[in-house]
Structures are given as structure tokens and as C-alpha cells.
Amino acid sequence: MERKAILVGVNVNNNQEDFVYSMQELGNLTAACNVNVLGKMTQNLNQVNKSHYIGTGKIQELHNLLKEKDADMVICDDELSPSQIRNLESELECEVIDRTMLILDIFASRAKTRESQLQVEVARLKYMLPRLIGMREFLGRQGGGAGLKNRGAGETKLELDRRKVEEKIAKLTKELEKLVAQRKTQRKKRTKNEIPVVSLVGYTNAGKSTIMNAMLEKFSRGADKQVIEKNMLFATLETSVRKIKLKNNKTFLLTDTVGFINKLPHHLVKAFRSTLEEVIEADLLIHVIDYSNPYHEEQKKLTNHVLADIGIKDIPIIYAYNKADLMEGSFPSIHHDRVYLSAKNRIGLDQLSQLISNQIFDDYINCEFLIPYSEGEVVSYFNEQSHVLTTEYEASGTLLKVDCRKADAEKYQQYIR
């Protein structure tokens, strides 16, 4: 049965443009949950009504709109307190959910791996815990058992529910910690290998997964390792890590992370912290921006705000303005730390890889090695792991001119000529 909703929002900052965008995004989130939007109600207030979210004078107006449109739920654009939900449901006689619940529902339906499923479930339960209002008729004391000695020793339905939820959170958190430990071990191995890590970050649906797939296709022939890409909010919740080998044999790891959104629930950011640690430990960030979105500058600010919140600082950033084919102006092009491209049309990937190389391969140096013929594996290593400029064969061995990492030059310094 199709759900039908009325969207409700309160504009407290008197910033009409931001508010219109937030309400539009709420509509997109609602559509992503397969709920039909039948109407909207907005109100300008100096502050949100503490008891009902909207002003009490608007309640009857909203009640009438629900009846007129035959809608069965109200979706509010902000996170509601338990009392606000209770009061609104009592007055409107229908289900009331908020933006946070909506985002949690989307995440729950999109989570594929065990780790992301656990992260979403922990976030959902922590959000629900203070909101366990329960069905009112069940909130009386339960029977205390036979005889008089147990009389009054029962628990309320609410107390039982709360305890069950807390126990479940503890159990899931324990399981999640094991998976987080595994992820840390994987990261340590990568650090040991000294392969630079580049992380794709950005607003949801900006094209991060499309860029990853385009890079794989162009440089790694990794069609079998493609990640999911869809034109919808939060298509990717899992962190994918893929190795990219450029034409000059320089290698880096590219990670695709969960997208951000306005008013991203606090519990969700907390739950996905282990996933976002991939970003914290990156050598370079590619901030992907949907250039065709009229609100792309706001989305850029919001993403930077979330990155600051999770502790990102001093990591170099490249701004990849994706979907440039939908805008006027020449592309592909590079302007300082910005690159304009179209990942879907596979245009601008050379420019993007050029910017990446400039940032993460600054520790490469030109060296000349004379390697004895008995050390053929060293020659093979340089052919695979560095950019060999020339190869000559002399009486005493193979002469290689290479562009290689300082670490490799130090490792094989006995062959440097």
C-alpha cells in the first residue's frame, strides 16, 4: 500500500534560499523511501516550538490538510524530540516522523555488507531509545506474579523495551568493534606497503562512484571490480577500496565513501566513524561536486563542515566539479586545485589523474641504476613499481633510468650510479 505524506518545515534562520533547498531535499529523501508527497506546510518562526515543532495555531490547519489530501503521515524537516512526536501524533491522529528517521530508513534499506548493516542498526536503536514512548494502554505495571510478595515488582512495558534495546545495542556494538578491528588491520597493511591513499568524498549523488568506476575502467581494466553507481541518494554506503595503476606505473589506492547530506543525523555520523576513518588517514581527498546542481556551493560548504566535524585537517584537497557536460563553459579543464570533468562521459580523467599525481607523487626522484644481470628480480621490480624512462644493456649489467619513490632509491642505493 502506498504511503501518502505531508511535508512540514520551520524556517528559523530567515534564510529563504537555504530553507527552500532543505525542503526540496526532504522531498527527494521522501521519494527515495517510496512515499508519495501530497502537500507541504511551512512556517517562519524565531525558534522551533518546543512542544509541537510548529506553532499551535498551525496544528488545525495541518489537520485539515491531512484530511483534504487523504494523507496518512507527516514528515518534519528537523529532528524531533520524543515529546514533540507524541504531541503531534496525539493532535493529528496520524504517524509523525522526522528527517533523521527518514535518512535512517534509507540507510537501512541500502546497507549491503554486515558492517554497514550493523552501523545503521546501532544508529537506529540509539535514536529510538529516548523515543520509546510505547503504546499508551500498555504502559501500566505488569502483573507481579502469584501471591502477595511480588505485588508491585513488575516493570512497565517501557522499561522492558528500553532494557531490551540497550542489550541489543551492546551486543551489536561488540560485533561492530570486531569488524572495525579488522578494518584497522587492513589499513595498517596498506600503510606498511607505502601505497598512497586517495579518498573520494562529497555530497550524496555527486558522482563519487561514477568517478571511481571511470578511473578503474581507464587505468586498471577493473570492470570486474566496479562499484554500484545509481542516480539516487545514498546509493553507496560501503567503503570500497581499489588499486589504480597509472600509465607511468605509479600506483595509489582509491577509496569511495558514504555521501553526506544536510542535517546528517549525529548518531549516523558516529556509527559510520570507522568507515570515515578511511578519509581521516588518506593522503589526498577528491571532493566531488555535482556542478549541475544549482545548490552545489551549499553542498560544498556542508561537506567541508562534516569533514571538519570528523577531524579532517591538513589533508590536501582536489575539487572535482563533475557533470560539467550539463553546464556552459569549456571542459575538461584545470584551475589550480579544481578540475572540471564528466565522469559519466569519461571526459577529464587524464586531467584528474594529473592533479592527483602532482599531489601524491611529489616524493618521486630521477635515478640511474646499474643492476647486475644476476639481479633480474630488481629490474622486474622497477619495471612494475616505477616509471622506467630508458633501459640499456652494458657489460656489467642493466642500466635503468627511472622515476621512482625515494624509499625505493634508498632500498636499492647500492645499484645507484
Side-chain angles (χ1 to χ4, degrees):
M1 189 179 132
E2 191 183 47
R3 305 297 307 274
K4 293 172 283 188
I6 302 293
L7 305 184
V8 176
V10 174
N11 183 8
V12 288
N13 297 323
N14 286 325
N15 187 330
Q16 195 58 29
E17 197 175 325
D18 283 359
F19 180 62
V20 167
Y21 171 53
S22 187
M23 287 299 291
Q24 187 182 318
E25 198 169 70
L26 183 67
N28 293 339
L29 288 166
T30 307
C33 274
N34 299 315
V35 176
N36 195 9
V37 177
L38 298 183
K40 286 183 187 179
M41 176 174 282
T42 60
Q43 187 175 21
N44 295 324
L45 291 173
N46 290 328
Q47 61 179 45
V48 165
N49 185 305
K50 284 180 182 173
S51 64
H52 289 79
Y53 179 60
I54 53 175
T56 46
K58 279 272 183 184
I59 300 277
Q60 190 56 48
E61 202 181 314
L62 181 55
H63 196 276
N64 294 340
L65 186 61
L66 282 160
K67 278 188 174 175
E68 181 197 322
K69 300 284 186 183
D70 192 28
D72 54 13
M73 70 191 300
V74 164
I75 301 175
C76 298
D77 191 37
D78 294 282
E79 189 169 304
L80 301 180
S81 68
S83 61
Q84 285 171 331
I85 293 173
R86 184 172 62 241
N87 293 339
L88 279 173
E89 286 190 338
S90 171
E91 295 272 359
L92 300 170
E93 299 169 331
C94 75
E95 185 186 356
V96 174
I97 70 168
D98 59 16
R99 188 187 183 99
T100 300
M101 223 180 289
L102 205 57
I103 293 172
L104 287 170
D105 276 355
I106 295 170
F107 269 59
S109 65
R110 304 273 161 82
K112 295 287 182 288
T113 63
R114 183 64 185 151
E115 186 180 7
S116 62
Q117 285 167 352
L118 285 171
Q119 286 168 327
V120 175
E121 184 63 3
V122 167
R124 196 181 67 81
L125 290 171
K126 282 184 176 175
Y127 172 77
M128 292 306 292
L129 195 57
R131 291 165 176 78
L132 283 175
I133 298 156
M135 297 301 289
R136 289 146 193 81
E137 61 267 27
F138 292 0
L139 290 185
R141 291 275 166 191
Q142 294 181 322
L148 295 173
K149 63 178 181 175
N150 286 327
R151 185 171 290 170
E155 290 178 283
T156 65
K157 171 81 164 59
L158 185 57
E159 284 162 351
L160 270 179
D161 285 348
R162 198 174 294 259
R163 200 173 65 198
K164 278 179 190 168
V165 171
E166 282 169 344
E167 283 169 4
K168 197 170 182 187
I169 288 172
K171 187 184 169 193
L172 294 177
T173 304
K174 215 171 183 181
E175 194 182 336
L176 192 54
E177 278 167 2
K178 284 181 189 172
L179 293 172
V180 170
Q182 285 173 17
R183 190 183 277 284
K184 276 188 178 164
T185 307
Q186 287 168 351
R187 266 205 305 272
K188 271 182 189 166
K189 279 181 186 170
R190 294 206 296 266
T191 309
K192 208 174 174 185
N193 291 339
E194 294 178 332
I195 300 176
V197 176
V198 178
S199 270
L200 292 159
V201 296
Y203 215 74
T204 181
N205 207 27
K208 296 182 295 299
S209 301
T210 311
I211 285 181
M212 178 174 245
N213 287 338
M215 293 288 280
L216 281 169
E217 203 179 278
K218 185 172 179 67
F219 298 110
S220 298
R221 298 188 186 91
D224 56 325
K225 295 180 180 177
Q226 300 262 307
V227 296
I228 297 168
E229 57 173 273
K230 280 186 184 172
N231 182 24
M232 64 179 184
L233 302 177
F234 303 115
T236 309
L237 295 189
E238 287 73 42
T239 295
S240 311
V241 182
R242 301 286 186 270
K243 189 185 262 190
I244 303 287
K245 193 170 191 175
L246 300 176
K247 286 165 185 169
N248 56 13
N249 279 351
K250 291 177 180 176
T251 304
F252 64 91
L253 294 174
L254 188 62
T255 69
D256 183 18
T257 54
V258 62
F260 303 135
I261 198 165
N262 189 15
K263 303 175 188 173
L264 190 65
H266 168 69
H267 289 309
L268 215 46
V269 174
K270 225 172 170 185
F272 274 77
R273 185 162 284 278
S274 64
T275 307
L276 296 170
E277 275 171 13
E278 295 282 354
V279 180
I280 295 169
E281 297 188 17
D283 299 286
L284 174 68
L285 301 182
I286 299 175
H287 182 160
V288 183
I289 295 157
D290 178 357
Y291 191 32
S292 69
N293 190 304
Y295 299 101
H296 67 265
E297 280 303 315
E298 284 84 348
Q299 293 183 346
K300 181 181 172 182
K301 280 179 201 163
L302 281 160
T303 300
N304 285 333
H305 183 67
V306 177
L307 290 172
D309 275 358
I310 60 173
I312 301 288
K313 55 177 191 283
D314 305 328
I315 300 178
I317 298 178
I318 289 170
Y319 292 95
Y321 284 81
N322 190 28
K323 309 184 190 179
D325 54 309
L326 303 174
M327 302 294 284
E328 288 179 9
S330 63
F331 84 101
S333 60
I334 293 175
H335 301 280
H336 306 296
D337 58 354
R338 287 173 293 161
V339 57
Y340 294 84
L341 72 157
S342 170
K344 189 180 177 183
N345 296 316
R346 308 305 196 241
I347 299 168
L349 300 176
D350 285 324
Q351 285 77 3
L352 177 61
S353 59
Q354 183 190 322
L355 273 184
I356 292 169
S357 291
N358 293 349
Q359 285 281 3
I360 61 172
F361 298 122
D362 57 349
D363 68 333
Y364 271 61
I365 55 172
N366 272 32
C367 287
E368 206 172 84
F369 296 95
L370 183 61
I371 301 159
Y373 289 118
S374 58
E375 301 293 330
E377 70 276 6
V378 178
V379 176
S380 297
Y381 177 83
F382 279 114
N383 276 314
E384 285 170 23
Q385 302 296 331
S386 65
H387 187 203
V388 176
L389 303 168
T390 62
T391 305
E392 290 174 28
Y393 301 98
E394 297 193 351
S396 53
T398 309
L399 182 67
L400 295 181
K401 279 185 183 173
V402 298
D403 187 16
C404 69
R405 288 181 300 176
K406 282 179 189 169
D408 284 338
E410 286 164 15
K411 188 178 176 182
Y412 297 107
Q413 61 182 337
Q414 72 265 37
Y415 304 124
I416 291 179
R417 202 164 86 161

